[in-house]
Amino acid sequence: MEQDLTKEITVTVNGETVRQRVEPRLSLADWLRDRLGLTATHLGCEMGACGACLVMLNGRPAHACLTLAVQVDGEMVETLEGLRDRGVIADLQAAFHERNALQCGFCTSGMLATAHALLVDNPHPDRSEIRDALSGNYCRCTGYEAIVDAIASTAAARTIDQGTSG
Amino acid sequence: MKSPALDYVRVDSLSAAFDAFEAGDGDAQFLAGGHSVVPALNLRLQAPSLLIDISRIPELSGVELCDGWLRICAMTRHAEALTHPLIIHHAPLLCAAAPFVAHPAIRNRATIGGNLVLADPASEFPAAALAMRAEMEIVGRDGVRRVPADAFFLGLYETAMRPGEILRSLFVPPAREGQRVAFDELSRRRGDYAIVGAAIQAVMADQRLSDISIAFLAVGDRPIRAAKAEAALRGGALDGATIAAAQAALEGDLDLEDLPQMPASMRLHLARVLLGRVLGRLGGP
Amino acid sequence: MTMAPDTTAFIGQPHRRQNALRHLAGRGRFTTDLVLPRMVHAAFVRSPVARGQILAVDVEQASQAPGVICVLTAADLNPLCMPWVGTLDHFARMASPPQNILAETHVVWAGQPVVMVIASSRAQAEDACELVVVEIEDQEPVVDGAAALALGADTASPGLASNLCYETVLETADVDAAFAKAACVVDGEFSFGRHTAVTLEPRAVVADFDPSTGQLTVHQGTQTPYQFQDVYARHFGLNEGQVRVIAADVGGSFGMKLHVYHEEMATVAASKLLGRPVRFVADRLESFLSDIHARDHKVRARMAVDANGIITAMEVDDLTQIGAFSAYPRTSAAEGNQVIRLMGGPYRMQDYRGRLSVVFQNKVQTSQYRAVGHPIACAVTEVLVDGVAEALGQDPLDLRVRNVVPDDAYPHTSATGYQFEKLSHQACLARLRQMMGYETLRAEQALLRKTGIYRGIGIAPFIEITNPGAAFYGVGGARISAQDGAIVKLTPSGDVQCMISVTEQGQGTETIIAQIVGEQLGVSPERVKVITGDTDTTPVGGATWACRGAGIGGETALRAGRKLRDQILAIAAAVLQSEVVDLRLADASVIDAHTGAVRLSLAEIGRIATYRPDTLPSGTDNSLTAAQHYAPSGFPFAFTNGVQASHVEVDVETGLVKLLKHWVVEDCGRIINPLLVDEQIRGGVVQGLGAALFEECLYDEEGQLTNGSLAEYLVPMACEMPDIVIGHVETPTLDTILGAKGVGEAGTAAAGAAAMNAVNDALLPFKARLMQTPMTPARILAALGHV
C-alpha cells in the first residue's frame, strides 16, 4: 500500500476557508480544478509558459501549475470565479465581450488575471506596456490585438470614471 | 506531466531545514518559490523523496543595507528587483536585468535565491551578480561563508554550494562614484531565454572607463566574465575605437560552441553586436 | 419623415457572442473539465526511438503499482479495433500502412504509444508508466524526405514497397513552350518548416461505454463530432445509433482535432473493455509528440514572364514529408494536393506544371491544419512575383495589379483547373494601396535606408478555398459529410432554438447562426438558442473544416429558418383568416406586410399551436419545427480572395525582425458579422506569422523532436505581433441565397508570404533573399553572409 504522505492545508480560496488533506505532489492548479471544482483555472503547459493557469495568489498573479497546493497553506488564492463574484473585473469582462477579445475561451481566465493586475499596478498603460504585461499569456485564437484593445479601453473608461466621480 | 510522489515539510528555521535535509538521507531538495523545482518535477526530470520548503524562514527574507553592502535575502521575489527602493538604488544592474527574466507572473513568485542557486547559464541574475561582483552568503550546519560570484558559478547548474547548504543572501558591494550599469539581451520573444545577453557595470569618470566588469549569459556552461574585453576598455573613452577593440577582444573571452540552430561564429558575432549596444547604452544619459 | 430602422436585419451586424459570456465568467465547459462517476485516467508509454523493432514489453511491475486499474498492450486493445488506412480513392495509387491502436511489432516514430496504463489518477498512471519496460531494437530512422525516395532506402514503416505515399503531376499542354519563349524566368528553392497547432486546450477525450445497453458516449474536444461517430461505430463494430459524440467547448482546434489519433482510439477501446469512463488528456509534451504536425515542404519552383511583365507560366515541384503513415480519414496528401493546385491562383497565368511527391519518414504524422496548403502555394508564388519585380525593375504592387485576373473577367478557370465564380483582386489591391498609404511607406523606406534602418514591405494576394462540397473527400470514398443540417423550432413561448451540425470552437458559429435564423423569423439573435456539437441532438453534417460554417452552415440555417417562417405564417394566416402573402415576421411577431401593424405575437402562435391546436381550422399543420439539410451545388468550392501586406524592420546586425504593421483586404462574400470576421482574420494572420517567423518542430538526425515543449517551441506571443488593419470588399456568391463564403483560413493563407516578401524587401540592398520558414535570426544572418 502506498505511504500516506498527505498534509493538511488551510487556504482562503475566493474568500472561503478551505481545509483539506492533499498529497504534496498535487499542484495548486490540479487542487483547484479537481478537488474544488474551480475549473476556470486551465492547464495549458504545466511549466509556466502559457499563462492559462494564472490565479491571484496573495493578490498577485501566479502560475497555479508551478505552485504546489501545500505551498499555499495559510495563503490567499483567488480564481476567476472569485474575481467574478467580487465584481472587481466586471468592466474588464464587459470590455472583452464587447471587443470579442476571446475565441475558444481557454486563455481567458489567465488573460483577465494579467489584465486585472496590470491595471492595478499601472492604471494608464500604453499599448506596448499592455503587450509586455501579456508576454507570458499565450492565445492561439485572437492574435492578441482585441485583447490589447479591451484592456486599453477598460483603462480609459476607468480614468474617465475617476475623473467624473471626483 | 504530474510530479512523482514525494514528501513535503515546511520548516521555519535554518536549523530545522538542516535537520530535515539530514533526515532526507541525501534525497531531499530545498524548495523556495518552486518555479524551477516544480516544472522539473512535472517533467519528471527530478524525483526527490522530500521537499523542504524554506520559503518562510525569517532569516531568508528581507532587503537591507549592511556595512554599506546591499543584502538581498534569498526569498526576495524577482518582482521586488523592480520595485524595492533599496534594490533600485543600490543594485541598479539587478533592477535592469529583472524585466528580462521570464514574465510578470513568474517574477511575482520566483525567488532571487532560487534563481541563483539553479545556476542556469542562460539566466539573467547570475550574469548580473557576476558583473556586480556580488557575493553569495551561504549557510550550512557549520556556519556561514561568503563566496564571490565568480567562484560561485562553477558549471552547468553547478555552484560552490555543498549538499545541505542554503543560499541565505546576495551581497551587493557599495556603488562607486560615477558608477553606471547597462543590461540587454537578444531574444526572439520577450521573456525567452536569450540568444545572448550582457550585463555591464563600470565607473565613468572624466570620460574614462574604469572598474568595469562585463558578464555574458547564454554563452557557455555558466555566466562568463569578459576579462579581455574589459581590459580593452579599461582606461579608455567610450568611443568607437575602444568599443571596437573590446568587440575584437571578446573572441578571447568566449569559448562558444556550435549549436544545432546557430554556429559559434554567428554567436560570437551576436555577442559582439550586443556588447557594442550595451556599451553604447552605458555612455548614454 | 424617416423610415423606422429595419429591426429584423441582423445579418451584417456586429453581434456579440453570447457564449463568450460563459468563458468570461469562468464557466466554460471543456472536455478537460469533465468528471464522470468511476472515471479513470489514461497515460501512455511511448516509443523513445523513431524506428525500431519491439523485442519485449514487460508490464508486470507496472500492473502492481498503486492506483493502477490495468496495463494494456497491443494484444489487449488492437483486436477490439478494425485497423484504419489513410488513403482516398481519388488519390490514385496512394499507399499508407494500416494503423492500429498500440504498436505491436514495430515503432515508427518517437512518441508512438506502445502501452496504455489506466489508473485512478493521471499521476498514478504516469508513475506506473515509469515501471513498464519496453525493449526495442533501434533501427536507422528515415528522417529526410529526399533521401527517403532514393532507391533501396529503408522504408519508414514495415510492409511499404517504398517511402512514396502519393505522387501526381498536373500540367497544361504548353507549359514547356511558355518557359522556352519567356522574356524572364525567376526561380527559387523553398523550405517550409514543420510546425504544429498548439491549441491551448490539448486534445481531450472521455469515453464512456455502457455495457448494459451497448451505448458508447464519447466526450471529445473535436471540431467534427459526426465524423468521429462514424469512425467509432465502424472501427469498434457498433451501430451508429449506439455511438454518441459530444463536443462541448473546445479550446482551439484549427484542423488538428479532426484527425484520428491512436490515443483517442485507445481510450474508447479501454472504456469498452472496462465498462467505465476513461479519460485521456494529452499533456503538452504528448501534444508535441502526437498531435498532427503541418507543412514540412521542400519546393522547387520557377516562374516565366513575357516581355510585358505578364506572368505566363509556373513550374513547381513539391516534396511533402508526412511522417510514417498518412492520417485518417482525410489523408496526409490533401495538403500537397492543394499546394500544387493553388499555385499562381490570383494571376492570369496560362500554363503550369505541378509535381507532387508525398513521402514517408519516421516522424509524427502531418495532416490538415488551418489553411491547408495555402501558405505554401502563396509564399512560393508571391516570392517569385517579387523576384520578377526585382528582375524587371518594377514596383511589386504595380506588377501585381497588372497580373491578377481582372475583376470583370469572371467566371475564370485557373491554369491548375480551379474554377472561380467571381473574385475581386483588383478592387482589393486598390483598397490595400489606399489603406496602407503605399507610396508614403515606400518614400519613408527609402529615407530610412539612408540612415541604416532597413524596413520592408511585402505584398501577397491570395485565394482561399471555402464552402467545400463532396469534391474534397466524398468523391474519394471518405465518410465525411459534404452537407450540413439544421433543425429550427419555435418554443411555446415564442423563443427559437436551432440545432445545427456546424460546430463552435470560439469563431462565433453559434452567433452567426442565431443572426441568420433570427433574421428569417424576425426574432432578435439573443432569443435564438443555438445548439451544436452533439450527435444525438443535432442533425448530421460536416461540422467545422475547410471554412464551411458560415457558407454552408449559414445557408442551411437560412433555409431551415425560412421553412419554419413559412410554417408559422401558414398557422398565422389560419388564425387571422388572412393570406400568407399579407403577413410578415418582425419584432417577434406576425405583422401586416403592408402596414407593419402587429397582428399576433410569436408567443401567441406558440401557445395556440402547442396548447390549443384544437382551435386551429381543421387541416392546419401545427408543426413549429422545421428541418433542413443543404449541400453546395454549382461550383465545387466557393473561392474567396484578398491581399495582405506586411511592414517589417529587420535588424541587419542581429537578424531579428520587428513586425511593424499588417494589413488585410479580404473578400469573403456577404459578411454576416463584421466583428467576428475581423477577429477570424486577425487570429489567422497571427498563426501565419507564427509559422513564418517562429514556429518549427526541430528534429535531430535520430528522428527525435528536440524542442517539444512550450518553453522551446516558439508560438507567437503578444509582444511580437503587430496590430492588423482590415478592410473588406464584398462579392457574395450567387450559389447560395445567403451569399457568404468562408473566412477562417484567409489570414493564415497569405500572412507568411507577405512577411517573407517584407523581410526580403528589407534585405534588398544586401542582395539577400530568404526562402525558408521560419525566418529565424540565424537564417537571416546567414542570408546576409554572417556564417
Side-chain angles (χ1 to χ4, degrees), chain C residues 390-412:
Chain C
E390 191 191 348
L392 302 180
Q394 296 192 7
D395 178 86
L397 184 53
D398 293 341
L399 181 73
R400 288 181 169 87
V401 169
R402 280 199 303 281
N403 271 286
V404 291
V405 179
D407 293 358
D408 60 4
Y410 292 94
H412 173 83

Side-chain angles (χ1 to χ4, degrees), chain C residues 36-41 206-209 271 274-279:
Chain C
L36 295 179
R38 296 185 71 240
M39 184 172 84
V40 289
H41 300 259
V206 178
D208 184 9
F209 183 71
S271 180
L274 298 173
R276 63 193 291 187
V278 179
R279 174 189 198 253

Side-chain angles (χ1 to χ4, degrees), chain C residues 9-338:
Chain C
F10 303 122
I11 295 173
Q13 300 301 311
H15 279 274
R16 273 53 180 173
R17 287 168 47 214
Q18 284 284 310
N19 54 18
L21 292 170
R22 286 193 293 107
H23 294 300
L24 286 161
R27 296 182 192 275
R29 294 187 294 263
F30 295 95
T31 303
T32 39
D33 298 333
L34 185 69
V35 177
L36 295 179
R38 296 185 71 240
M39 184 172 84
V40 289
H41 300 259
F44 292 89
V45 178
R46 295 171 183 281
S47 170
V49 300
R51 181 164 171 259
Q53 190 179 353
I54 299 175
L55 301 177
V57 176
D58 180 357
V59 302
E60 186 57 34
Q61 216 192 334
S63 307
Q64 308 302 318
V68 169
I69 313 291
C70 59
V71 181
L72 303 167
T73 64
D76 301 308
L77 294 185
N78 292 10
L80 301 179
C81 177
M82 182 178 82
W84 61 91
V85 179
T87 57
L88 285 171
D89 299 343
H90 65 307
F91 296 139
R93 294 176 305 282
M94 185 179 182
S96 181
Q99 295 298 300
N100 211 322
I101 297 173
L102 295 173
E104 290 181 36
T105 56
H106 287 77
V107 290
V108 294
W109 91 91
Q112 182 175 4
V114 181
V115 172
M116 182 188 208
V117 176
I118 307 284
S120 300
S121 73
R122 169 72 188 204
Q124 288 173 320
E126 288 186 27
D127 294 344
C129 283
E130 295 188 329
L131 302 174
V132 171
V133 183
V134 179
E135 208 181 316
I136 296 177
E137 186 180 81
D138 278 29
Q139 293 166 336
E140 179 102 0
V142 177
V143 176
D144 178 69
L149 288 180
L151 211 61
D154 287 337
T155 56
S157 288
L160 286 172
S162 81
N163 287 310
L164 186 67
C165 168
Y166 174 65
E167 66 179 338
T168 192
V169 180
L170 192 68
E171 61 188 344
T172 59
D174 296 331
V175 62
D176 292 321
F179 275 97
K181 66 183 179 201
C184 169
V185 174
V186 294
D187 59 11
E189 286 204 26
F190 298 82
S191 175
F192 296 95
R194 249 180 191 249
H195 52 90
T196 184
V198 200
T199 59
L200 190 50
E201 183 190 34
R203 279 163 39 222
V205 59
V206 178
D208 184 9
F209 183 71
D210 177 352
S212 64
T213 60
Q215 180 74 36
L216 172 71
T217 305
V218 183
H219 305 265
Q220 185 171 344
T222 176
Q223 54 197 93
T224 51
Y226 313 91
Q227 175 199 295
F228 280 104
Q229 178 190 35
D230 173 74
V231 165
Y232 296 142
R234 280 188 298 115
H235 288 271
F236 291 99
L238 299 163
N239 299 326
E240 198 165 58
Q242 292 176 301
V243 180
R244 178 182 188 184
V245 177
I246 301 173
D249 290 331
V250 181
S253 194
F254 314 112
M256 186 274 283
K257 292 179 182 169
L258 52 61
H259 307 288
V260 167
Y261 294 97
H262 299 76
E263 293 85 352
E264 279 81 336
M265 298 298 260
T267 305
V268 169
S271 180
K272 254 193 110 191
L273 211 57
L274 298 173
R276 63 193 291 187
V278 179
R279 174 189 198 253
F280 170 71
V281 175
D283 66 30
R284 187 55 62 191
L285 302 183
E286 293 180 292
S287 298
F288 278 106
L289 288 176
S290 63
D291 290 0
I292 57 123
H293 292 177
R295 320 303 183 211
D296 207 353
H297 297 264
K298 300 216 179 304
V299 182
R300 281 183 301 141
R302 55 187 191 135
M303 178 179 276
V305 289
D306 67 16
N308 298 318
I310 297 303
I311 300 163
T312 54
M314 278 180 81
E315 185 171 18
V316 170
D317 193 341
D318 175 28
L319 178 78
T320 311
Q321 305 168 104
I322 61 162
F325 54 90
S326 167
Y328 182 71
R330 289 161 193 260
T331 82
S332 306
E335 160 92 3
N337 190 53
Q338 273 183 210

Side-chain angles (χ1 to χ4, degrees), chain B:
Chain B
M1 286 183 70
K2 305 297 177 193
S3 163
L6 39 70
D7 203 354
Y8 168 92
V9 61
R10 187 166 56 234
V11 293
D12 55 10
S13 71
L14 287 169
S15 61
F18 300 136
D19 290 346
F21 189 86
E22 281 156 21
D25 207 19
D27 199 18
Q29 160 91 49
F30 290 123
L31 182 71
H35 278 27
S36 308
V37 173
V38 176
L41 293 173
N42 288 349
L43 292 162
R44 297 199 176 214
L45 298 173
Q46 285 184 13
S49 58
L50 171 67
L51 290 178
I52 303 165
D53 187 343
I54 57 171
S55 66
R56 298 189 202 179
I57 297 175
E59 296 105 297
L60 299 180
S61 289
V63 179
E64 61 188 357
L65 283 171
C66 224
D67 301 329
W69 290 57
L70 180 70
R71 182 184 193 205
I72 302 169
C73 287
M75 294 305 125
T76 305
R77 312 279 177 183
H78 292 7
E80 291 177 76
L82 288 163
T83 56
H84 198 290
L86 288 176
I87 298 178
I88 293 170
H89 191 255
H90 295 281
L93 188 54
L94 202 68
C95 183
F100 295 91
V101 187
H103 307 290
I106 301 273
R107 297 197 292 264
N108 284 337
R109 190 82 187 151
T111 65
I112 291 175
N115 177 282
L116 295 171
V117 167
L118 181 67
D120 183 334
S123 183
E124 290 81 1
F125 287 152
L130 199 58
M132 292 188 299
R133 280 166 271 169
E135 294 182 5
M136 313 294 164
E137 184 194 26
I138 298 166
V139 285
R141 187 64 99 182
D142 305 327
V144 180
R145 60 195 179 106
R146 270 166 74 157
V147 178
D150 56 6
F152 182 80
F153 299 107
L154 300 182
L156 186 66
Y157 303 119
E158 193 188 338
T159 70
M161 296 201 10
R162 295 189 275 266
E165 287 187 324
I166 292 173
L167 178 69
R168 182 155 151 191
S169 61
L170 175 74
F171 272 92
V172 180
R176 309 282 171 88
E177 182 72 24
Q179 179 178 292
R180 297 187 179 196
V181 301
F183 184 96
D184 202 359
E185 64 182 37
L186 301 176
S187 68
R188 292 177 64 189
R189 302 178 311 173
R190 185 77 171 147
D192 277 352
Y193 279 120
I195 301 169
V196 59
I200 304 185
Q201 178 169 296
V203 168
M204 182 85 107
D206 302 328
Q207 303 299 310
R208 297 279 149 193
L209 283 170
S210 63
D211 216 16
I212 184 161
S213 51
I214 303 173
F216 276 85
L217 57 106
V219 291
D221 66 352
R222 70 195 90 169
I224 304 288
R225 269 291 282 275
K228 294 191 169 67
E230 290 171 10
L233 291 161
R234 202 164 291 126
L238 205 53
D239 55 24
T242 314
I243 291 175
Q247 286 172 313
L250 198 56
E251 187 169 11
D253 288 318
L254 306 181
D255 183 19
L256 294 160
E257 291 176 359
D258 287 337
L259 295 177
Q261 303 307 318
M262 192 178 277
S265 56
M266 196 180 280
R267 298 176 70 199
L268 178 62
H269 162 77
L270 289 175
R272 284 173 165 158
V273 168
L274 181 70
L275 178 63
R277 291 181 182 184
V278 182
L279 285 170
R281 192 165 313 164
L282 200 67

